[in-house]
């Protein structure tokens, strides 16, 4: 019989409230981009806890972090739990960080109640999950799972035109300098010997891919970010499928001209063209029979962006998501065809680039069934459900048993400052993660 352990709810909430302060937009939600100053502050806070708990700390070239429980035994497979700490711009205080704090609370509770288990336990913090910096979601975990390789370090660029490699290079260190000095350190396994070179310029991703034979289970605790649990008055969501997504970037080149002197009949307005394309995409997806496909243009830039100049160029993103890959591709093909037709008719030139994609993924049936049985046994109102949001769990699920636990988002809001979850639900979700980790840790016999 697995011993039960109670998490320390106040400690969990205190960590969440403390980490919420690490934002570039105080008062307007949480903005904490990977590799930025607030990311450094959040990492320092978390690594201080890890050091206090006697965890092993391993940080890879992408700055994904793995924290090992002090009771771990070398060579045993690991039960991993975690999420991400980066956010969208003016995002919420819980997306990602809640799963990291939940996994950390499990770590602290295990450390306070030392016992022997069949498996090891690790907290994982995935880097650049939101893609706010480089436009591609789940970047850190795509390198961990081998979907991204060396060439992507030079392909992925931020808004300043800097490549991922250029941003990462100064963060590479091989010295075991104190975590307070440099939270972006790479702590080499002791046996590897440690050079004292700080701030090396080469980004060596050879050790980023996980050896998935050493990982038994991956668990991610996360807010739902949609309305389902809140509307149904449920406490726990058990995820069975994570949506896939495809992201394209569209560039329209029209003819800039004077806003007053140019007759409407002589215009090739890139912004009006973009507007028609975006509304056409919405019309195509709204016509979808099962109403699960979603399409979003979240980012758009018009140039020269002056009120009295007809826009010459417009660049916008467009993403389509669904739980069925064929439907994603069907919608995206129809949308890109329409974009080309609209641009042709308006005599605006158009280029469309595939930006990033991830396939829909079923999560592990054994974990879904065992978590559903646990919720039943605890009398928790729950639902097995899909996730319209993508998560690092997608990248890991292709390799090891992976499960996701949701808690309700008030009014289904997320990726906005209004993102919130009732404290009782935050605590229920973290305790459910604790119970699930304990069950996995003792599942070897
Ligand atoms: O976009 C997403 O679904 C996730 O929040 N990165
Ligand atoms: Mn997230
Ligand atoms: Mn998110």
């Amino acid at each position: 019989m697995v011993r039960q352990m109670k998490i320390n709810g106040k400690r969990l909430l205190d960590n969440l409230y403390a980490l919420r302060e690490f934002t570039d937009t105080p008062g307007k939600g949480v903005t904490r981009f990977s590799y930025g100053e607030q990311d450094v502050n959040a990492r320092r806070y978390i690594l201080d806890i890890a050091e206090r708990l006697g965890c092993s700390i391993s940080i890879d070239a992408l700055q994904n972090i793995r924290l090992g429980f002090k009771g771990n035994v070398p060579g045993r497979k690991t039960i991993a739990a975690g999420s991400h700490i980066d956010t969208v711009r003016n995002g919420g205080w819980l997306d990602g960080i809640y799963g990291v704090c939940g996994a950390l609370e499990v770590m602290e509770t295990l450390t306070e109640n030392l016992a022997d288990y069949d498996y090891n336990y690790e907290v994982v913090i995935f880097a650049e999950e939101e893609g706010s910096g480089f436009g591609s979601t789940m970047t850190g975990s795509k390198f961990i799972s081998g979907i991204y390789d060396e060439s992507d370090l030079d392909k992925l660029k931020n808004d300043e035109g800097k490549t991922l490699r250029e941003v990462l290079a100064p963060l590479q260190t091989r010295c075991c300098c104190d975590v307070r000095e440099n939270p972006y350190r790479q702590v080499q396994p002791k046996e590897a010997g440690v050079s004292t070179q700080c701030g090396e310029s080469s980004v060596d991703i050879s050790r980023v891919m996980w050896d998935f034979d050493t990982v038994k289970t991956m668990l991610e605790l996360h807010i739902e970010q949609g309305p389902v649990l809140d509307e149904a008055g449920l406490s726990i969501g058990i995820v069975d499928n994570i949506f896939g997504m495809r992201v394209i970037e569209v560039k329209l080149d029209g003819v800039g001209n004077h806003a007053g002197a140019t007759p409407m009949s002589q215009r090739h307005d890139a912004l009006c063209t973009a507007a028609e394309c975006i509304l056409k995409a919405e019309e195509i997806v709204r016509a979808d029979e099962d109403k699960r496909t979603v399409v979003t243009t979240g980012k758009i830039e018009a140039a020269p962006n002056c009120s009295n100049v007809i826009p010459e160029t417009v660049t916008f993103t467009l993403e389509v998501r669904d739980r069925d890959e064929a439907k994603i591709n069907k919608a995206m093909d129809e949308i890109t065809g329409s974009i080309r037709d609209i641009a042709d008719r308006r005599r605006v030139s158009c280029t469309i680039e595939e930006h990033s994609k991830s396939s829909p993924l079923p999560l592990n049936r054994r974990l879904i069934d065992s978590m559903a049985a646990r919720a039943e046994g605890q009398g928790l109102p729950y639902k097995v459900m899909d996730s319209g949001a993508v998560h690092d769990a997608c990248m890991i699920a292709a390799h090891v048993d992976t499960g996701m636990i949701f808690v309700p988002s008030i009014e289904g809001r997320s990726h906005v400052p209004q993102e919130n979850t009732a404290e009782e639900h935050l605590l229920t979700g973290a305790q459910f993660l604790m119970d699930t980790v304990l069950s996995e840790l003792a599942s070897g016999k």
Side-chain angles (χ1 to χ4, degrees):
M1 184 59 187
V2 179
R3 273 180 64 200
Q4 294 310 305
M5 288 181 198
K6 294 297 286 164
I7 64 160
N8 180 325
K10 181 179 179 318
R11 181 168 60 200
L12 169 73
L13 294 172
D14 287 349
N15 286 337
L16 282 169
Y17 290 131
L19 284 158
R20 173 169 70 175
E21 300 311 309
F22 299 136
T23 169
D24 286 324
T25 53
K28 294 195 196 90
V30 180
T31 302
R32 185 170 54 238
F33 283 12
S34 299
Y35 319 124
E37 189 200 341
Q38 298 308 335
D39 185 44
V40 172
N41 296 333
R43 282 168 179 265
R44 272 214 184 89
Y45 183 95
I46 290 165
L47 292 174
D48 281 351
I49 294 172
E51 295 223 325
R52 174 169 56 79
L53 297 179
C55 297
S56 62
I57 299 175
S58 153
I59 305 175
D60 69 22
L62 269 288
Q63 309 305 316
N64 296 302
I65 299 174
R66 287 177 74 164
L67 307 174
F69 172 47
K70 68 191 263 188
N72 283 355
V73 172
R76 259 187 345 197
K77 282 197 167 197
T78 203
I79 310 299
S83 190
H84 60 96
I85 62 173
D86 64 312
T87 72
V88 295
R89 181 175 291 110
N90 301 107
W93 69 295
L94 293 169
D95 178 359
I97 198 94
Y98 169 55
V100 169
C101 288
L104 263 182
E105 178 51 33
V106 169
M107 179 73 87
E108 185 131 19
T109 306
L110 288 174
T111 308
E112 288 171 333
N113 303 276
L114 286 177
D116 195 24
Y117 301 101
D118 306 325
Y119 294 99
N120 288 339
Y121 175 66
E122 287 184 62
V123 171
V124 182
I125 301 172
F126 297 103
E128 184 62 355
E129 187 277 344
E130 292 293 0
S132 305
F134 296 87
S136 159
T137 52
M138 304 174 287
T139 297
S141 51
K142 282 177 181 169
F143 278 94
I144 282 174
S145 55
I147 288 183
Y148 278 172
D149 61 24
E150 188 76 27
S151 63
D152 295 288
L153 287 175
D154 302 307
K155 249 186 255 162
L156 292 168
K157 288 194 168 95
N158 64 17
D159 287 347
E160 292 147 36
K162 271 191 163 184
T163 65
L164 180 55
R165 185 191 301 277
E166 286 165 337
V167 169
L168 286 172
L171 309 181
Q172 306 304 309
T173 61
R174 297 199 185 291
C175 58
C176 268
C177 54
D178 182 287
V179 75
R180 281 157 204 77
E181 276 167 43
N182 181 350
Y184 286 120
R185 60 183 183 162
Q186 276 192 60
V187 176
Q188 300 305 324
K190 286 280 175 287
E191 59 280 7
V194 175
S195 68
T196 54
Q197 186 67 23
C198 244
E200 282 187 359
S201 57
S202 66
V203 181
D204 169 6
I205 64 167
S206 60
R207 282 192 299 276
V208 173
M209 255 191 90
W210 284 5
D211 171 0
F212 285 101
D213 292 339
T214 63
V215 184
K216 176 176 187 299
T217 306
M218 174 78 221
L219 293 166
E220 184 166 3
L221 173 67
H222 206 286
I223 52 173
E224 178 203 332
Q225 302 185 284
V228 172
L229 295 175
D230 187 47
E231 284 174 357
L234 301 173
S235 305
I236 291 284
I238 296 168
V239 180
D240 59 358
N241 279 286
I242 300 180
F243 272 27
M245 68 190 287
R246 265 178 69 183
V247 188
I248 59 172
E249 187 168 85
V250 180
K251 188 166 182 297
L252 299 170
D253 288 296
V255 176
N257 215 328
H258 194 290
T262 312
M264 293 309 284
S265 60
Q266 294 178 19
R267 294 188 178 209
H268 305 285
D269 181 327
L271 192 48
C272 287
T273 306
E276 187 177 350
C277 293
I278 293 162
L279 286 174
K280 182 65 183 168
E282 186 192 45
E283 181 193 313
I284 288 167
V285 168
R286 278 189 186 281
D288 174 59
E289 64 282 359
D290 77 5
K291 306 288 172 233
R292 282 307 272 141
T293 312
V294 288
V295 61
T296 311
T297 284
K299 189 172 179 181
I300 185 164
E301 282 158 14
N305 206 24
C306 302
S307 64
N308 56 357
V309 180
I310 299 170
E312 176 159 0
T313 58
V314 167
T315 306
F316 64 90
T317 61
L318 185 144
E319 55 151 85
V320 174
R321 303 191 194 200
D322 194 290
R323 59 185 294 172
D324 174 339
E325 188 128 42
K327 292 192 63 190
I328 294 172
N329 292 332
K330 177 172 171 292
M332 191 57 100
D333 291 349
E334 216 179 314
I335 289 168
T336 50
S338 302
I339 289 173
R340 290 196 172 88
D341 294 347
I342 292 165
D344 280 352
R345 174 166 41 80
R346 287 171 168 266
R347 301 216 334 267
V348 165
S349 77
C350 156
T351 53
I352 299 176
E353 252 184 51
E354 280 286 339
H355 198 285
S356 63
K357 65 178 178 183
S358 55
S359 298
L361 246 149
L363 295 185
N364 178 264
R365 181 48 54 192
R366 171 186 70 81
L367 285 169
I368 293 165
D369 293 346
S370 68
M371 290 196 283
R374 179 167 303 111
E376 296 275 357
Q378 294 178 3
L380 288 173
Y382 77 98
K383 175 182 174 64
V384 176
M385 59 191 287
D386 55 33
S387 171
V390 294
H391 302 282
D392 293 305
C394 310
M395 295 299 124
I396 310 302
H399 304 276
V400 302
D401 292 2
T402 300
M404 280 204 81
I405 302 163
F406 275 171
V407 294
S409 291
I410 295 172
E411 292 176 4
R413 300 294 303 277
S414 181
H415 278 187
V416 289
Q418 294 83 350
E419 179 184 281
N420 203 2
T421 295
E423 282 190 357
E424 60 155 319
H425 286 144
L426 294 174
L427 301 181
T428 304
Q431 183 61 54
F432 196 78
L433 175 69
M434 180 83 237
D435 300 342
T436 303
V437 167
L438 277 172
S439 163
E440 288 297 298
L441 284 171
S443 62
K445 293 278 185 279

